[in-house]
Amino acid sequence: MLRWVRQQLGFDPPHQSDTRTIYIANRFPQHGHYVPQKFADNRIISSKYTVWNFVPKNLFEQFRRVANFYFLIIFLVQLMIDTPTSPITSGLPLFFVITVTAIKQGYEDWLRHKADNEVNGAPVYVVRSGGLVKTRSKNIRVGDIVRVAKDETFPVDLVLLSSDRVDGSCHVTTASLDGETNLKTHVAVPETAVLQSVANLDKLVAVIECQQPEADLYRFVGRITISQQMEEIVRPLGPESLLLRGARLKNTKEIFGVAVYTGMETKMALNYKSKSQKRSAVEKSMNSFLIIYLIILLFEAILSTILKYAWQAEEKWDEPWYNEKTEHERNSSKILRFISDFLAFLVLYNFIIPISLYVTVEMQKFLGSFFIGWDLDLYHEETNQRAQVNTSDLNEELGQVEYVFTDKTGTLTENEMQFRECSINGIKYQEVNGKLTPEGFSEDSPDGNRHSLMKEEELFLKAVCLCHTVQINADQTDGADGPWHANGIASPLEYYASSPDEKALVEAASRVGVVFTGTSGDTMEVKSLGKPERYKLLHVLEFDPNRRRMSVIVESPSGEKLLFTKGAESSILPRSKSGEIDKTRIHVDEFALKGLRTLCVAYRRFTPEEYQEIGKRLREARTALQQREERLADVFNFIERDLELLGATGVEDKLQEKIQETIEALRLAGIKVWVLTGDKHETAVSVSLSCGHFHRTMNILELVQHKSDSTCAEQLRQLAKRIKEDHVIQHGLVVDGTSLSLALREHEKLFMEVCKNCSAVLCCRMAPLQKAKVVRLLKTSPEKPITLAIGDGANDVSMIQEAHVGIGIMGKEGRQAVRNSDYAIARFKFLSKLLFVHGHFYYIRIATLVQYFFYKNVCFITPQFLYQFFCLFSQQTLYDSVYLTLYNICFTSLPVLIYSLFEQHVHPHVLQSKPVLYRDISKNAHLGFKPFLYWTILGFFHAFVFFYGSYLLMGEDTSLLRNGQMFGNWTFGTLVFTVMVITVTMKMALETHFWTWINHFVTWGSIVFYFIFSLFYGGIIWPFLHTQDMYFVFVQLLSSGSAWFAIILIVVACLFLDVVKKVLYRHLQPTSTEKAQLTEAGSGINCLDSMCCFSDGETACTSVRRMLERLMGRCSPTRVNSGICLVSALYWNDSVYKQEEERLDACGCTNSCCQLS
């Protein structure tokens, strides 16, 4: 227990060494004073709470919110001192908000517990006491030998010991980890691969030393020491030996492995780490408004307290005859009385802070996010994929994007590679009808119709077929005739690869006569024009982003040791000493200018002495436990030198559909697009031009191939000067990775100045962390623009997480980008609707919701403040406590919630076809200081009209009934409250442009509910109420004609000026959005047809309708009726819209009632 406490406090970390020692089958040494290491159990815990800590932990998290903590303080003040309102008025809303949030979070955590229990309780088989024992997953310990059968997932991270195959290999898919669906091959060390039975494995005596757990899925460093016949054999262990939890066994009957990482120490669990919490600009504005309203609250409370004591300075008001003080009150401290009165006023005015705002915003974000998934325009039929929302906290941020950072491959392109051209020995070739044809020759020419391959061509194609990680469909390799079942090239083989480039090249080689037919153990077979050749695979030098190449060392059928290497031209050409280097470099540049992805291919022959030295160095580096990666990198560099260049390949990656239109729409919306790619300079520029990122008329500036700070700085200064001189012309900037590193090191400010003055920026040869650094640089610049990053691969995850909004493309490079994104879409073209329609709607809705909440609470509490001037600041409340409690919870909550879910102030089709409308909401335009000031002043104005309008009615003569009966202060307060409820609800109705039956129901229903509730509340004597000041008050109020007249007059007076303001602004300073609304109104999107239509198609009040529509900018499409599904009504597929429009045109319908919205 003490050790656990020390670990939790950080004094005694569980792993004190850099490595862990694992005794297979937990056969610990019997000698000495060996103390077993402590390892985690195999339970997966994704839940946040337990039964014991849910209440305290959840309450702590909720009361970290300023508004919740503030209302808790107010509630405690009401309990401790004599305040004018009941503690229930603050306690009940607080309890409601806390309870709703706790239930939501508790339910989500219960689902996590349920999922954890299913995983932890899954049955598994382990080798214990000489036999297979069935147990639960959570009972697996580090060191246990686990059996996994075909198509089962691995329950822990295992080091492979053996499989049902003689060579100890197995195939797995890691789709649940990194999304890659290709088969990956893992191999056991030879000494354990032969142990294929439980009895043999039970006799195994071995020790594994490996690194401590880390999150990197592709890194594992270890070694296994096997005791055999009184000697110890040491073998290296790498990622090829590690089977990860969550991966699935394929094409292998069963495997045995030893558990090395368990439970929350598995690589899958370590990758669960939560993303940094992103906060939207609206949430930041909301917190700023909250602080301002807290200041207003404190000002009102302090002013009221001072005025109270100023008033009581006169003796007649200090202790009037009808309210004499007690002896205790006369002798109490003035300071304590002042503090007590201040707190009492604080309680009286505390409802100016809208406690239900947070819970309403959460509901709006959560429910509103479903519309993205339901939108048919964001559904991709070919892949059966719909848009996906991973976080609903950033919906409104989609409407504020100023910069889009996009990957190229798989995001702007299809990531479907097709072989187009290659260069072999300085000659360019194209594939024509399954034959390699030199450039300039046709199939009919004498040299163009060859049936044999030249020596250089054959060697090049063999290099392509041997240097890769391609797998073959098991159905074709595991047939009755063994792995060599493929009969020549008559039956095309089905290849799988994690890299689309590799697959395209191997398929192209097979079409022209050199076919890779599979692997068996360490043997690779290639058929060259039908003649089989077997190569022994000796070593694989894996690809890594720093080297930008991969290599294999093979033994040819003649016994010769060969190195085949392929990679980026920047990593191959400098290491080549022979071959047609200059010609190949020219061809690579030509391929790149055509937008092709290029790779160079080279080889090297080893003498027996050279190979012996290489083998020794590789063994030493691979068995090292410390700095293994650095040592391997040095050895790889030593091996991959003095190459002989064979040629280069050009593979085309087709652009996705509607890429040009989408990028142009983003530009019209005022959004700058930056392309960040790892491709070479020429390829990236070519693709940028073809996709419309760069215009042909654009002046393209370059910052590339700089090796020193001084040259980079000088070039930046020249670019900045050139931009100033040619400020009329649009500029595009191209930067490469090395120049970017130099620019960001010392000249960050100058670099940002150049970038911001360019219309488009292209960064090529970028590493993943450089992508994130560029996003962070712009995100933290003084202007603080809202950024969006979009990509499809694991190399895009860092930039997706860094940007304000991260979007993953459901492409062919796995699901890592999708899992780490905030939103996921199937194609880049869907980005336009996601931003211009959904982003626009979400921002308008939540901006109005937030400001409306503050407005209605100013309306609510300001009459309470004004009332104190008429009651000598005696802290008498104007409203009944039940009204205080239910105002935000029941009477005014639903209309604004429904508005925030369904509002469409402009038709979606118009928003998408006019991207310029996006500029109207950019830079948080609707939640800036001016809109906030307008809503606040409007709230105060309406509150003054409520109070003084009611006062004019009842101030001099309170007898409003025919019999002369007098009304009291509760009647006055109820009159003010009634006018207020109607006015704030009607104000929401004025803001609503898109009317559905739900809007009508909650808007008019809220007013009706208030009247019915008040009649029941005041019309019945409730036995459980201590006092009932409101008994028959509301009934008597409604029985007065003067009161009805006052209610109507005050509501009209409040809203009239608001309507006038809207009219003036629409005519004098209309925004692009308001102009679009008027265009809609004139083109048949009619609001009032349902009220004014005759059966013959003519309208009786066309002029009135048009005038009102022009005044209010309203459009409530008549297509939204009870016969249409609500979701379809709200987000109608554009294709359906167009079809319906054509149908109406064809039938010649002139009835304005059936015109489309």
Side-chain angles (χ1 to χ4, degrees):
M1 181 67 182
L2 180 62
R3 177 183 175 84
W4 181 84
V5 172
R6 287 176 61 82
Q7 286 180 7
Q8 300 305 308
L9 295 175
F11 298 125
D12 187 16
H15 307 303
Q16 295 183 337
S17 64
D18 293 331
T19 61
R20 58 168 52 187
T21 303
I22 300 160
Y23 291 86
I24 294 180
N26 290 307
R27 290 191 178 89
F28 302 115
Q30 303 300 319
H31 59 80
H33 303 283
Y34 174 73
V35 179
Q37 288 179 283
K38 299 290 185 182
F39 302 120
D41 60 28
N42 198 38
R43 287 181 303 150
I44 287 292
I45 303 171
S46 62
S47 55
K48 191 174 182 180
Y49 305 107
T50 66
V51 174
W52 310 109
N53 71 9
F54 174 73
V55 172
K57 193 172 181 179
N58 187 265
L59 288 178
F60 173 74
E61 290 178 350
Q62 291 209 54
F63 284 118
R64 288 168 65 184
R65 278 185 167 172
V66 176
N68 290 349
F69 184 72
Y70 161 77
F71 270 88
L72 176 65
I73 296 298
I74 292 295
F75 177 65
L76 295 176
V77 168
Q78 287 179 294
L79 291 176
M80 289 186 294
I81 67 171
D82 183 23
T83 56
T85 57
S86 166
I88 295 175
T89 58
S90 295
L92 189 62
L94 178 64
F95 176 77
F96 173 77
V97 169
I98 295 296
T99 303
V100 168
T101 307
I103 290 172
K104 172 179 170 286
Q105 293 177 353
Y107 174 71
E108 290 173 349
D109 204 62
W110 175 76
L111 293 177
R112 287 191 284 266
H113 271 285
K114 189 177 177 183
D116 290 346
N117 292 336
E118 288 180 8
V119 171
N120 295 329
V124 294
Y125 289 90
V126 297
V127 177
R128 286 179 186 163
S129 305
L132 273 180
V133 178
K134 185 176 180 179
T135 184
R136 294 183 181 276
S137 175
K138 64 183 178 182
N139 298 326
I140 298 176
R141 299 169 296 172
V142 170
D144 279 344
I145 298 176
V146 183
R147 192 204 77 168
V148 180
K150 183 180 178 181
D151 291 328
E152 290 182 353
T153 57
F154 301 114
V156 289
D157 286 353
L158 300 166
V159 166
L160 180 62
L161 295 178
S162 66
S163 72
D164 64 320
R165 299 183 179 183
V166 178
D167 59 358
S169 66
C170 70
H171 296 299
V172 304
T173 60
T174 56
S176 62
L177 296 171
D178 57 11
E180 296 178 3
T181 55
N182 61 295
L183 296 178
K184 295 183 173 67
T185 303
H186 292 258
V187 291
V189 297
E191 287 73 19
T192 64
V194 296
L195 307 176
Q196 295 180 311
S197 67
V198 174
N200 289 335
L201 283 166
D202 195 50
K203 298 174 185 175
L204 176 65
V205 179
V207 179
I208 291 175
E209 294 173 272
C210 62
Q211 64 186 152
Q212 295 292 3
E214 65 170 33
D216 191 343
L217 295 175
Y218 309 106
R219 185 175 184 271
F220 178 67
V221 178
R223 67 184 173 206
I224 183 170
T225 305
I226 304 157
S227 300
Q228 282 185 352
Q229 299 172 356
M230 302 302 292
E231 68 170 328
E232 292 185 343
I233 301 170
V234 180
R235 294 288 186 186
L237 297 174
E240 72 283 351
S241 304
L242 187 68
L243 305 171
L244 300 178
R245 176 173 191 151
R248 189 178 294 274
L249 183 65
K250 290 286 187 182
N251 297 344
T252 311
K253 184 179 178 182
E254 66 175 12
I255 64 98
F256 290 92
V258 59
V260 289
Y261 304 129
T262 51
M264 299 307 292
E265 292 183 340
T266 58
K267 290 184 179 289
M268 182 181 75
L270 292 174
N271 277 277
Y272 281 159
K273 59 185 178 184
S274 58
K275 299 177 286 185
S276 58
Q277 187 67 29
K278 295 181 179 180
R279 295 175 63 213
S280 68
V282 169
E283 189 176 343
K284 294 172 187 174
S285 298
M286 204 160 70
N287 291 337
S288 302
F289 297 162
L290 199 65
I291 292 170
I292 293 173
Y293 272 70
L294 275 171
I295 293 170
I296 294 173
L297 170 64
L298 291 173
F299 171 76
E300 288 185 347
I302 293 170
L303 180 63
S304 297
T305 309
I306 292 172
L307 289 175
K308 176 179 180 176
Y309 282 91
W311 216 308
Q312 289 180 356
E314 296 183 39
E315 191 174 344
K316 66 174 182 176
W317 298 123
D318 182 37
E319 190 175 353
W321 60 269
Y322 54 84
N323 192 17
E324 292 184 3
K325 293 181 180 179
T326 63
E327 194 65 29
H328 174 72
E329 288 175 335
R330 291 193 184 99
N331 297 330
S332 61
S333 167
K334 289 186 177 180
I335 295 175
L336 289 177
R337 275 190 291 161
F338 186 90
I339 294 172
S340 177
D341 284 327
F342 168 73
L343 292 175
F345 280 117
L346 207 62
V347 168
L348 192 65
Y349 304 147
N350 79 85
F351 282 96
I352 197 172
I353 306 297
I355 186 174
S356 56
L357 172 61
Y358 283 107
V359 73
T360 307
V361 167
E362 278 192 13
M363 289 173 64
Q364 188 269 344
K365 288 184 175 183
F366 174 71
L367 297 173
S369 62
F370 287 103
F371 291 126
I372 292 178
W374 291 338
D375 192 347
L376 292 178
D377 286 335
L378 301 183
Y379 170 74
H380 191 243
E381 192 171 356
E382 292 175 22
T383 56
N384 191 30
Q385 290 171 330
R386 59 183 184 137
Q388 178 179 318
V389 179
N390 297 329
T391 174
S392 60
D393 292 337
L394 303 170
N395 292 341
E396 65 277 6
E397 207 80 332
L398 293 170
Q400 295 297 295
V401 174
E402 297 172 59
Y403 284 85
V404 168
F405 298 91
T406 175
D407 178 40
K408 182 184 76 67
T409 306
T411 304
L412 299 179
T413 62
E414 288 284 6
N415 206 8
E416 285 183 1
M417 308 302 173
Q418 292 181 330
F419 175 80
R420 292 301 182 204
E421 296 182 69
C422 65
S423 171
I424 304 175
N425 199 31
I427 301 172
K428 281 204 293 186
Y429 291 82
Q430 292 179 334
E431 183 188 353
V432 180
N433 294 330
K435 300 182 183 68
L436 272 185
T437 306
E439 189 178 44
F441 290 88
S442 65
E443 192 179 358
D444 300 328
S445 61
D447 291 339
N449 193 14
R450 299 174 302 161
H451 296 283
S452 62
L453 293 170
M454 295 172 61
K455 180 181 176 182
E456 295 86 355
E457 297 171 353
E458 188 175 4
L459 183 60
F460 174 84
L461 292 172
K462 285 179 181 176
V464 168
C465 285
L466 293 170
C467 186
H468 57 72
T469 58
V470 174
Q471 303 289 332
I472 297 178
N473 189 344
D475 295 336
Q476 295 176 297
T477 60
D478 292 346
D481 297 329
W484 321 118
H485 179 63
N487 183 17
I489 56 173
S491 175
L493 296 171
E494 187 177 357
Y495 295 110
Y496 294 96
S498 56
S499 167
D501 298 75
E502 285 189 339
K503 182 183 177 186
L505 292 175
V506 172
E507 288 175 339
S510 70
R511 289 195 299 269
V512 297
V514 181
V515 185
F516 168 64
T517 55
T519 60
S520 176
D522 58 357
T523 303
M524 303 178 74
E525 180 167 295
V526 173
K527 287 189 175 181
S528 178
L529 297 177
K531 178 185 175 184
E533 295 181 9
R534 294 192 179 185
Y535 290 80
K536 185 177 181 180
L537 181 62
L538 302 173
H539 297 284
V540 177
L541 280 55
E542 296 83 1
F543 174 86
D544 68 67
N546 296 322
R547 286 170 41 246
R548 299 184 66 81
R549 59 185 179 274
M550 78 158 287
S551 303
V552 293
I553 300 176
V554 297
E555 183 180 326
S556 69
S558 63
E560 196 174 15
K561 306 293 192 299
L562 300 172
L563 169 81
F564 289 112
T565 302
K566 77 169 186 294
E569 91 291 342
S570 59
S571 65
I572 299 293
L573 296 181
R575 295 179 168 272
S576 302
K577 69 171 185 178
S578 60
E580 297 290 345
I581 298 174
D582 293 332
K583 288 184 179 179
T584 304
R585 181 180 281 112
I586 293 170
H587 291 164
V588 166
D589 290 341
E590 289 176 359
F591 295 164
L593 286 172
K594 296 177 182 177
L596 303 181
R597 293 164 60 86
T598 59
L599 288 173
C600 287
V601 183
Y603 85 112
R604 177 185 175 186
R605 301 176 190 270
F606 293 121
T607 64
E609 295 78 15
E610 286 176 331
Y611 179 72
Q612 190 174 1
E613 173 68 15
I614 285 168
K616 179 183 174 184
R617 291 195 178 200
L618 278 172
R619 276 192 301 276
E620 290 176 354
R622 282 183 165 147
T623 54
L625 283 179
Q626 305 295 331
Q627 297 181 323
R628 180 182 291 186
E629 285 85 356
E630 292 81 356
R631 294 187 185 186
L632 280 174
D634 292 338
V635 176
F636 289 172
N637 286 329
F638 173 76
I639 296 171
E640 297 166 331
R641 61 189 175 89
D642 299 333
L643 302 174
E644 184 174 339
L645 187 64
L646 291 173
T649 61
V651 176
E652 182 186 33
D653 190 3
K654 189 171 64 174
L655 284 175
Q656 289 186 17
E657 60 176 333
K658 295 190 177 179
I659 287 293
Q660 287 185 334
E661 295 89 331
T662 304
I663 290 178
E664 184 59 31
L666 292 172
R667 189 176 285 117
L668 288 172
I671 299 172
K672 290 189 176 182
V673 180
W674 289 30
V675 176
L676 312 180
T677 178
D679 269 352
K680 71 188 302 289
H681 170 217
E682 291 82 4
T683 305
V685 171
S686 175
V687 172
S688 283
L689 286 166
S690 60
C691 73
H693 179 236
F694 283 166
H695 284 301
R696 299 286 174 185
T697 57
M698 192 178 281
N699 183 21
I700 298 177
L701 311 173
E702 292 189 350
L703 184 68
V704 293
Q705 296 179 348
H706 289 284
K707 304 295 182 186
S708 66
D709 278 339
S710 56
T711 58
C712 182
E714 180 59 31
Q715 178 70 8
L716 277 172
R717 281 189 283 269
Q718 289 180 6
L719 293 178
K721 182 180 178 183
R722 188 171 171 185
I723 290 172
K724 287 181 180 176
E725 290 173 352
D726 301 334
H727 62 277
V728 179
I729 305 172
Q730 282 192 334
H731 299 278
L733 178 67
V734 182
V735 191
D736 64 5
T738 54
S739 302
L740 180 71
S741 299
L742 294 171
L744 297 183
R745 192 182 303 163
E746 298 289 341
H747 317 290
E748 198 174 279
K749 190 175 180 181
L750 183 59
F751 174 71
M752 286 306 300
E753 182 186 340
V754 171
C755 288
K756 287 179 181 178
N757 288 320
C758 291
S759 302
V761 177
L762 168 65
C763 300
C764 53
R765 286 294 188 227
M766 296 280 285
L769 288 177
Q770 281 184 311
K771 292 183 177 183
K773 196 168 183 181
V774 169
V775 176
R776 189 184 312 120
L777 182 68
L778 206 70
K779 190 172 84 169
T780 56
S781 63
E783 294 82 6
K784 298 283 190 299
I786 303 300
T787 58
L788 180 148
I790 179 169
D792 73 317
N795 60 331
D796 302 314
V797 169
S798 53
M799 93 171 164
I800 284 173
Q801 291 183 332
E802 184 63 45
H804 291 95
V805 182
I807 296 183
I809 295 285
M810 302 169 188
K812 297 183 176 64
E813 289 191 21
R815 287 291 184 271
Q816 276 198 358
V818 171
R819 285 203 316 273
N820 288 277
S821 64
D822 303 307
Y823 303 89
I825 53 179
R827 288 293 182 268
F828 185 84
K829 66 178 181 178
F830 295 151
L831 186 63
S832 61
K833 184 160 191 185
L834 192 65
L835 298 186
F836 303 153
V837 178
H838 290 283
H840 200 119
F841 285 157
Y842 285 136
Y843 177 73
I844 290 293
R845 291 165 183 170
I846 203 164
T848 306
L849 182 150
V850 169
Q851 297 187 115
Y852 176 78
F853 252 93
F854 284 107
Y855 152 79
K856 71 187 182 74
N857 278 46
V858 168
C859 290
F860 182 39
I861 220 63
T862 303
Q864 187 86 275
F865 173 69
L866 297 175
Y867 185 58
Q868 298 308 303
F869 286 90
F870 294 86
C871 65
L872 297 183
F873 294 91
S874 61
Q875 297 152 11
Q876 168 65 38
T877 179
L878 177 63
Y879 314 119
D880 182 72
S881 59
V882 172
Y883 285 162
L884 282 171
T885 306
L886 298 182
Y887 175 75
N888 278 317
I889 295 177
C890 295
F891 299 146
T892 60
S893 57
L894 277 179
V896 66
L897 177 62
I898 297 303
Y899 169 92
S900 66
L901 290 174
F902 298 149
E903 171 64 358
Q904 294 183 26
H905 61 302
V906 182
H907 192 273
H909 187 67
V910 175
L911 285 177
Q912 196 166 2
S913 61
K914 295 182 178 179
V916 72
L917 299 180
Y918 193 81
R919 295 174 184 254
D920 280 356
I921 60 170
S922 62
K923 299 187 184 298
N924 207 12
H926 288 253
L927 270 177
F929 182 71
K930 283 185 178 179
F932 167 71
L933 191 63
Y934 163 72
W935 280 92
T936 302
I937 292 174
L938 186 67
F940 279 114
F941 168 71
H942 284 181
F944 272 79
V945 176
F946 301 156
F947 185 83
Y948 286 107
S950 303
Y951 181 74
L952 286 175
L953 177 69
M954 297 181 60
E956 298 298 329
D957 182 8
T958 59
S959 59
L960 300 180
L961 294 178
R962 204 175 288 174
N963 58 10
Q965 183 179 345
M966 309 287 281
F967 283 174
N969 65 315
W970 292 115
T971 308
F972 176 72
T974 304
L975 176 61
V976 173
F977 193 83
T978 303
V979 170
M980 178 172 56
V981 168
I982 296 173
T983 303
V984 297
T985 306
M986 291 296 294
K987 172 61 180 171
M988 190 74 263
L990 275 179
E991 295 298 316
T992 304
H993 298 83
F994 187 86
W995 284 92
T996 67
W997 67 265
I998 299 180
N999 292 84
H1000 284 291
F1001 178 77
V1002 298
T1003 301
W1004 316 121
S1006 292
I1007 298 174
V1008 172
F1009 172 75
Y1010 164 71
F1011 276 86
I1012 294 173
F1013 173 84
S1014 297
L1015 287 171
F1016 273 90
Y1017 173 58
I1020 300 173
I1021 297 177
W1022 300 99
F1024 54 83
L1025 293 178
H1026 179 63
T1027 60
Q1028 197 163 348
D1029 298 320
M1030 293 295 294
Y1031 180 67
F1032 232 64
V1033 168
F1034 195 71
V1035 175
Q1036 286 188 324
L1037 178 68
L1038 295 188
S1039 63
S1040 169
S1042 302
W1044 279 104
F1045 177 74
I1047 290 170
I1048 295 170
L1049 190 63
I1050 294 170
V1051 170
V1052 171
C1054 286
L1055 298 178
F1056 177 74
L1057 289 179
D1058 193 40
V1059 173
V1060 169
K1061 178 255 178 190
K1062 284 178 177 289
V1063 171
L1064 291 177
Y1065 268 81
R1066 282 179 179 276
H1067 281 274
L1068 300 178
Q1069 294 179 331
T1071 62
S1072 302
T1073 304
E1074 289 166 347
K1075 290 176 182 176
Q1077 289 172 340
L1078 292 175
T1079 305
E1080 277 187 276
S1083 63
I1085 302 177
N1086 300 323
C1087 320
L1088 305 179
D1089 282 345
S1090 57
M1091 290 187 273
C1092 306
C1093 250
F1094 289 109
S1095 57
D1096 60 357
E1098 296 299 325
T1099 59
C1101 51
T1102 303
S1103 59
V1104 175
R1105 173 180 58 76
R1106 287 178 181 168
M1107 181 190 71
L1108 288 175
E1109 285 180 345
R1110 289 181 64 84
L1111 295 184
M1112 299 165 66
R1114 305 280 286 285
C1115 69
S1116 174
T1118 56
R1119 64 176 170 85
V1120 183
N1121 54 47
S1122 58
I1124 298 178
C1125 171
L1126 178 62
V1127 174
S1128 301
L1130 298 178
Y1131 290 96
W1132 222 12
N1133 189 310
D1134 280 348
S1135 60
V1136 177
Y1137 171 84
K1138 290 172 183 173
Q1139 290 171 8
E1140 192 66 15
E1141 200 169 39
E1142 290 169 2
R1143 182 185 66 78
L1144 289 176
D1145 289 342
C1147 73
C1149 180
T1150 57
N1151 189 344
S1152 58
C1153 288
C1154 66
Q1155 292 197 18
L1156 286 172
S1157 59

